[in-house]
Amino acid sequence: MTTDSAPRRDPGVSTAYAVSPDSGEHWTAEGAWRVADGIFRIPLPLPMDGLRAINVYVIETDDGLTLVDGGWAIPVARELLERCLKDVGYGFGDLRRFLVTHVHRDHFTMATVLGHELGIDVALGADEKPALDLLNNIEDLTRNPFVDVLVSAGAREVAAQWVRMDEHREAPDMSVWAYPDTWLEGDHEIPVGRRTLDAVHTPGHTPGHFVFAEREAGLLFAGDHVLPTITPSIGFTMPAAEQPLGDFMASLTKVRGLPDLTILPAHGPVAPSSHARVDELLEHHERRLADSLALMGAATVTAHDVAQGLGWTRHETPFGELDVFSQGMAAMETKAHLELLVARGQAAREETPEGVLFRAQEA
């Protein structure tokens, strides 16, 4: 329900080979890498094939440490975080606050576990509360909430396979989904020692996503909103958002209005220009919208139909060669693109028992 693994199609440099300038090594290399005065980047491992690590950022203050994101609450990540902090003279006792960019488990769960264990503040976007409400009332769910989204995308067989996968999945550990101490609402300033971070609400990847900009130092703690080598998944949220791609592109435009900042991403290497990367991401999705519209042609189609005609990952992998989880992600992401075409007046939609049907509108 809260993973960042998704099929991606992005012409940028491959994440698999990306070297980060702060370390001079592959961006996942173990260590506490100094990205700026008083700021370290610590890559922590993830238990998935699609994404190998998440960058947690450590900000020094006279009173202790503020961390941007926390990592996935697994023992190997916790042990590595503690070891890397020790290497630069700190320990868990020096932690004072977590600023979490969004609710996905690789960002939130270690933060909430350590935050509640150590009695320190954990801050998260207020629009992530509906997702946490679902997770904290999971016994009331009769089935995976993404099944309905997949059915609406016309991916009924994929939905059935997701249900079968759930039958073999262990119940989630609810201790990692405790509510935060502070809800972030609207754009506002956050003092972090002598620094001032602009907390900027950037819905799209998730409804409550935030980035944190330090204008004076020229830095953008970008979470999953602006990633240097991949595009974040869109449409994979619960409860489902009405226009996740529209929200994401509007948030990109919002960040484009900030000064040009060095990107400190959650996944991938430190990158030099938020403006350049935002422009690439917007162009990528405009191409994807055009491709989706062209594939609709004069037919009435589902998102699943269109997804099967698109290439996925940077290798343009055919839909049929994706694993079943990635096929579901692809269908949901394609539906987000078709819904934006409807909002732009380029397509029409009709809800049916077989899913939402789309058709192109005449220009």
Side-chain angles (χ1 to χ4, degrees), residues 62-104:
D62 293 339
D63 183 46
L65 305 176
T66 291
L67 271 59
V68 178
D69 286 331
W72 191 317
I74 52 176
V76 65
R78 178 182 176 127
E79 291 162 8
L80 181 57
L81 177 61
E82 187 170 27
R83 186 163 67 249
C84 289
L85 288 174
K86 184 178 180 180
D87 288 344
V88 290
Y90 296 106
F92 285 165
D94 297 300
L95 303 185
R96 297 292 179 267
R97 176 168 53 177
F98 284 95
L99 298 174
V100 183
T101 58
H102 63 292
V103 75
H104 284 169

Side-chain angles (χ1 to χ4, degrees), residues 228-244:
T229 59
I230 55 177
T231 62
S233 60
I234 302 296
F236 185 54
T237 58
M238 270 293 123
E242 183 177 340
Q243 281 292 339

Side-chain angles (χ1 to χ4, degrees), residues 149-227:
V149 182
L150 289 170
V151 170
S152 75
R156 189 173 292 273
E157 177 54 34
V158 175
Q161 293 184 69
W162 277 36
V163 169
R164 288 194 287 272
M165 287 193 301
D166 284 342
E167 294 172 353
H168 304 287
R169 189 170 293 154
E170 294 182 3
D173 176 3
M174 298 315 300
S175 68
V176 305
W177 296 112
Y179 288 95
D181 304 282
T182 299
W183 293 110
L184 304 175
E185 298 189 69
D187 297 353
H188 59 285
E189 293 183 347
I190 299 177
V192 179
R194 300 175 186 178
R195 304 174 187 271
T196 298
L197 300 186
D198 288 330
V200 182
H201 185 206
T202 51
H205 178 56
T206 67
H209 195 292
F210 269 80
V211 301
F212 304 100
E214 189 187 358
R215 295 174 188 246
E216 185 173 342
L219 302 173
L220 179 69
F221 298 90
D224 282 1
H225 183 59
V226 183
L227 297 172

Side-chain angles (χ1 to χ4, degrees), residues 293-307:
L293 187 62
L295 282 167
M296 293 169 70
T300 299
V301 296
T302 66
H304 183 246
D305 295 329
V306 175

Side-chain angles (χ1 to χ4, degrees), residues 267-309:
H267 309 287
V270 173
S273 172
S274 58
H275 284 182
R277 185 55 181 158
V278 165
D279 290 346
E280 290 172 355
L281 289 168
L282 287 170
E283 181 183 357
H284 163 71
H285 282 290
E286 289 295 348
R287 285 198 308 273
R288 202 64 163 172
L289 287 161
D291 290 346
S292 297
L293 187 62
L295 282 167
M296 293 169 70
T300 299
V301 296
T302 66
H304 183 246
D305 295 329
V306 175
Q308 292 179 79

